[in-house]
Amino acid sequence: MIEWFEALSVAGKVFVCVAIPSTLILVIQTVMTFFGFGDGGDGTDMPDLDGDGVPDGIFGSNDAGETDNFEVAESSGLHMFSLRGIVAFFCIFGWLGLTMVSNGTEEWLAVLVAFIGGFLAMLGVAFLLKALSKLQSDGTMNIRYAIGASGSVYITVPPQRRSKGKVNLLVQGKLEELDAVTDEKAPLPFGTEVVVTGISGGNTLIVRRK
């Protein structure tokens, strides 16, 4: 293995250093998707949604008016630069580039083709996530059942509702990726275990550190 790596050109070594870590991350993401994050609530005990004591923020307070609509809003555009998309880009970029330089392709051409391949992979993931979002918004999921459920931060949730992040959690037996805000003073980074305490704006979860 070491001899093989040492025999590679500089470009080949760069491609390897990109391909292997991104592939490992992709495998971890896939395993975590199959097994889910944390424990989902069974939906039998619904916490109070009146939001007493919750301060207002950019995304409003958790008052009764914010809980009239519990359907998850359908995304109207592609999310090109999601974590999954970026990992897919580097994975395809690395392996495709390595394959080409190993077969004697000019380095500049290998980089160009690898970049195009990675971009197409990222685009494919974006379309896939959009399709999954449409399936999620078909009305079969009631976001109220997320209240009290535990999950994990997928995209960092900024503090004091400054903007939205995303969390993964089990809702009605299915792994869902939903928008989330927090009233905590510190951001909730990727991988942080959280608990859903309320709903803001009808489709945004309010979470706190578990």
Side-chain angles (χ1 to χ4, degrees), residues 139-156:
T140 61
M141 188 196 76
N142 190 332
I143 199 172
R144 292 183 63 190
Y145 291 114
I147 304 296
S150 298
S152 177
V153 175
Y154 174 58
I155 296 178
T156 298

Side-chain angles (χ1 to χ4, degrees), residues 54-134:
V54 179
D56 292 350
I58 292 177
F59 293 94
S61 61
N62 184 30
D63 55 31
E66 294 181 315
T67 60
D68 293 335
N69 176 17
F70 296 108
E71 294 182 356
V72 177
E74 178 180 343
S75 174
S76 59
L78 292 176
H79 297 287
M80 287 288 295
F81 297 101
S82 66
L83 182 60
R84 287 189 178 95
I86 293 173
V87 171
F89 171 87
F90 283 115
C91 185
I92 298 301
F93 175 85
W95 289 118
L96 183 57
L98 177 62
T99 300
M100 296 190 69
V101 296
S102 296
N103 290 330
T105 304
E106 292 289 338
E107 293 181 356
W108 67 269
L109 182 58
V111 171
L112 177 60
V113 174
F115 182 86
I116 294 174
F119 178 80
L120 292 177
M122 187 166 61
L123 187 63
V125 170
F127 276 110
L128 178 61
L129 292 178
K130 184 177 181 180
L132 292 176
S133 177
K134 289 182 178 179

